[in-house]
Amino acid sequence: MIISPSVLSMHYEDFRKELNDLNESVEWIHFDVMDGHFVPNLTFGPAILEAFRRNTSLFLDVHLMVSDPDYFADVFAKAGADSIVFHYEAYNDIEKCSLLIEKIHEKGLKAGISIKPKTTVEEIVPLLDKIDIFLLMSVEPGFGGQKFMSEALDRVAQLKRYKEDHGLNYIIEVDGGVNDENAHELISMGTDALVAGSFVFNGDIKANVEKLRNCG
Ligand code: DX5
Ligand code: ZN
């Protein structure tokens, strides 16, 4: 199981200590980039990702919630991302998404697509054989600390079925409201990577990560 804590909920006054806890307990770090336009919130620029890159060898999982993912993909690839995931809804166009996936791959990074809760999996089926990561939102993107939408469970099952039926390998990653009450079901339905922000950073990081692992 891949645990990818969202550093949107990190306490930056304790950056070193918290990053050290992550270095000792998880596989990935989830980095939420918001532009104040695609979503009504604004987060990190590339200098912050560079600071993570200098202090960790963990996989840096970048989630772009931006209207111009092409531009931001360049910026964050250069800053040290290992993967770039962007939203289908930024383009609502399969061809444009395919081109950006190709471009991310050419940089030697993993590429992924994310969809909001109201977008159907059917719409993005033509992209499924091109991606490494499918990031399924289980809240409306924009803010940490929201309530998990249980509709995500059926979508995980759907994505897992498609993957098996077509011999594909994409990682199914779920983002939003993940905690030790829903992780078990998410994992049993086929989730490969859990993003968790408030659950991990609210209290003892390592103990909370362990609680998620025990759900598997
Ligand atoms: C929401 C972000 C999430 C968020 C998750 O737009 O994409 O990654 O940080 O936070 P929690 O786990 O608190 O819902
Ligand atoms: Zn995210």
Side-chain angles (χ1 to χ4, degrees):
M1 174 55 43
I2 297 169
I3 310 278
S4 191
S6 164
V7 292
L8 191 58
S9 297
M10 194 171 190
H11 304 94
Y12 283 88
E13 64 277 26
D14 294 326
F15 178 79
R16 281 201 176 278
K17 190 207 165 288
E18 294 200 349
L19 185 55
N20 196 38
D21 284 350
L22 296 178
N23 279 333
E24 289 172 2
S25 60
V26 301
E27 293 78 16
W28 288 12
I29 287 179
H30 186 81
F31 195 82
D32 287 305
V33 177
M34 306 187 190
D35 66 352
H37 187 259
F38 183 77
V39 288
N41 194 7
L42 199 54
T43 58
F44 317 105
I48 311 295
L49 191 70
E50 285 166 10
F52 277 94
R53 185 71 297 163
R54 284 194 300 275
N55 291 283
T56 186
S57 53
L58 294 177
F59 185 92
L60 295 177
D61 164 34
V62 171
H63 176 194
L64 298 180
M65 285 159 276
V66 302
S67 300
D68 185 357
D70 187 80
Y71 167 74
F72 281 83
D74 284 342
V75 167
F76 285 94
K78 198 159 160 250
D82 290 298
S83 64
I84 304 272
V85 173
F86 61 97
H87 272 265
Y88 170 68
E89 300 87 355
Y91 291 139
N92 283 311
D93 182 308
I94 294 289
E95 187 55 27
K96 281 190 181 165
C97 289
S98 302
L99 287 173
L100 183 50
I101 290 166
E102 237 170 74
K103 185 171 142 179
I104 295 167
H105 279 150
E106 277 163 15
K107 294 174 188 294
L109 307 186
K110 304 270 186 227
I113 281 285
S114 184
I115 57 171
K116 295 184 191 180
K118 291 192 191 83
T119 303
T120 65
V121 170
E122 284 76 12
E123 283 178 66
I124 49 79
V125 158
L127 296 172
L128 292 177
D129 64 351
K130 303 179 170 55
I131 55 171
D132 307 294
I133 300 168
F134 190 101
L135 180 64
L136 183 70
M137 295 305 300
S138 41
V139 298
E140 277 302 325
F143 299 92
Q146 302 181 72
K147 191 176 170 300
F148 178 75
M149 298 165 80
S150 55
E151 295 85 341
L153 291 164
D154 285 343
R155 289 146 75 81
V156 170
Q158 191 183 357
L159 285 162
K160 169 131 193 278
R161 220 176 312 122
Y162 192 92
K163 184 160 101 162
E164 286 173 354
D165 290 350
H166 296 82
L168 299 175
N169 273 322
Y170 53 81
I171 289 171
I172 302 174
E173 184 178 21
V174 177
D175 184 7
V178 171
N179 57 36
D180 61 351
E181 282 165 23
N182 50 40
H184 176 74
E185 220 169 348
L186 282 169
I187 296 167
S188 65
M189 293 294 215
T191 304
D192 304 297
L194 294 172
V195 175
S198 29
F199 181 76
V200 166
F201 289 99
N202 192 358
D204 186 297
I205 293 173
K206 288 186 178 178
N208 292 338
V209 166
E210 210 41 45
K211 281 184 200 157
L212 288 179
R213 285 201 197 286
N214 289 337
C215 295

